[in-house]
């Protein structure tokens, strides 16, 4: 049973437009959420995170939104750039356990 | 500062052979994680060490897999005997628990078992 779900395997967006990647979770005990970015032949790298006490966290072009009632979070990238083409993973954790539960990933393709 | 270091980057071996993957975590990090990534199952946690002690090995697929962390700067993941279904990319990650949830990943070892 997947506790963290990324239902879109891939997403194609025009350069300069907004990219929105979605993630749903089922475990109400999760209180910290992270987004990672992965290029081919490299390990995932941390992008941005959000605590459950917040509903928004922004870092430059990247903003993560958390809707606890819907158990849903999203990553917005504005404006999208060619270098953003990668696989994006959503991950979640609970305070009692520093292990991360991972989504299956969404491949983002930025078209020039 | 050096990130997480993994070796080898690529390993090709024949079924039945022993395979050893190595990881050096970031200096000062007290937790280490071994993951396996496949197309079918995505990113799976195999085992998690905290202060060199295995905390959760429930993700280790079977007895053919074993992991050790003899000191704070080195860990190994061993597969013996290897099988074709073990072919995957194996990642090591480290972090400082009690301070951060963010895990820092190595570049991975791509294992192919023929």
């Amino acid at each position: 049973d997947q506790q963290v779900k990324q239902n879109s395997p891939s997403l194609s967006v025009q350069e300069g437009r907004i990219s929105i990647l979605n993630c749903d979770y089922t475990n109400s005990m999760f209180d910290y959420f992270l987004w990672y970015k992965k290029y081919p032949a490299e390990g995932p790298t941390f992008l941005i995170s959000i605590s459950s006490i917040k509903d928004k966290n922004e870092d430059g072009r990247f903003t993560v939104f958390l809707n606890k009632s819907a158990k849903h979070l999203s990553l917005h990238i504005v404006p999208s750039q060619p270098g953003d083409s990668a696989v994006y993973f959503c991950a979640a954790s609970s305070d009692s356990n520093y292990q991360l539960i991972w989504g299956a990933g969404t491949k983002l393709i930025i078209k020039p | 500062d050096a990130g997480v270091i993994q070796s080898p980057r690529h390993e090709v071996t024949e079924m039945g052979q022993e395979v050893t993957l190595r990881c050096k975590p970031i200096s000062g990090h007290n937790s280490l994680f071994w993951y396996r990534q496949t197309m079918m199952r995505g990113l799976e946690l195999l085992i998690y060490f905290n202060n060199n002690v295995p905390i959760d090995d429930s993700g280790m697929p079977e007895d053919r897999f074993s992991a050790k962390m003899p000191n704070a700067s080195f860990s190994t993941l061993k597969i013996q005997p290897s099988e074709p279904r073990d072919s995957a990319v194996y990642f090591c990650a480290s972090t400082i628990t009690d301070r951060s949830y963010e895990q820092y990943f190595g570049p991975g070892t791509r294992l192919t078992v023929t």
Side-chain angles (χ1 to χ4, degrees), chain B residues 83-110:
Chain B
E83 296 182 3
R85 60 190 167 126
D86 301 330
S87 297
V89 180
Y90 291 81
F91 289 105
C92 175
S94 69
T95 192
I96 304 176
T97 49
D98 300 327
R99 186 187 298 181
S100 171
Y101 291 91
E102 300 160 18
Q103 297 178 13
Y104 296 82
F105 282 75
T109 295
R110 179 173 292 278

Side-chain angles (χ1 to χ4, degrees), chain A residues 31-32 34 36 38 41-46 49 89 93-100 102-104, chain B residues 9 33 35 37 42-43 45 48 55-56 91 96-108:
Chain A
D31 57 6
Y32 201 82
L34 306 90
Y36 278 75
K38 184 184 181 304
E42 295 183 11
T45 55
F46 170 74
S49 62
F89 291 96
S93 187
S94 62
D95 186 48
S96 62
N97 186 338
Y98 283 86
Q99 295 179 38
L100 297 180
W102 296 82
Chain B
R9 291 295 310 275
F33 305 81
Y35 289 92
Q37 185 183 29
L43 199 60
L45 176 65
Y48 156 43
I55 301 300
D56 184 354
F91 289 105
I96 304 176
T97 49
D98 300 327
R99 186 187 298 181
S100 171
Y101 291 91
E102 300 160 18
Q103 297 178 13
Y104 296 82
F105 282 75

Side-chain angles (χ1 to χ4, degrees), chain A residues 45-60:
Chain A
T45 55
F46 170 74
L47 192 57
I48 192 169
S49 62
I50 188 166
S51 165
S52 61
I53 62 173
K54 295 185 175 182
D55 54 18
K56 176 183 175 181
N57 188 27
E58 193 171 354
D59 183 2

Side-chain angles (χ1 to χ4, degrees), chain B residues 30-82:
Chain B
N30 66 342
S31 291
L32 183 141
F33 305 81
W34 280 102
Y35 289 92
R36 176 171 68 177
Q37 185 183 29
T38 61
M39 289 294 293
M40 292 295 294
R41 301 174 70 92
L43 199 60
E44 303 174 88
L45 176 65
L46 300 177
I47 188 169
Y48 156 43
F49 290 90
N50 183 253
N51 294 322
N52 312 337
V53 176
I55 301 300
D56 184 354
D57 65 354
S58 59
M60 296 286 263
E62 47 198 275
D63 291 346
R64 297 184 297 107
F65 285 69
S66 62
K68 293 181 180 180
M69 192 163 186
N71 57 61
S73 59
F74 184 65
S75 177
T76 60
L77 177 68
K78 185 179 292 186
I79 308 172
Q80 181 182 18
S82 57

Side-chain angles (χ1 to χ4, degrees), chain A residues 8-27:
Chain A
S8 299
S10 66
L11 176 67
S12 185
V13 175
Q14 201 73 37
E15 180 180 358
R17 306 294 289 268
I18 183 171
S19 294
I20 300 176
L21 296 106
N22 294 304
C23 179
D24 297 293
Y25 62 97
T26 57
N27 189 341

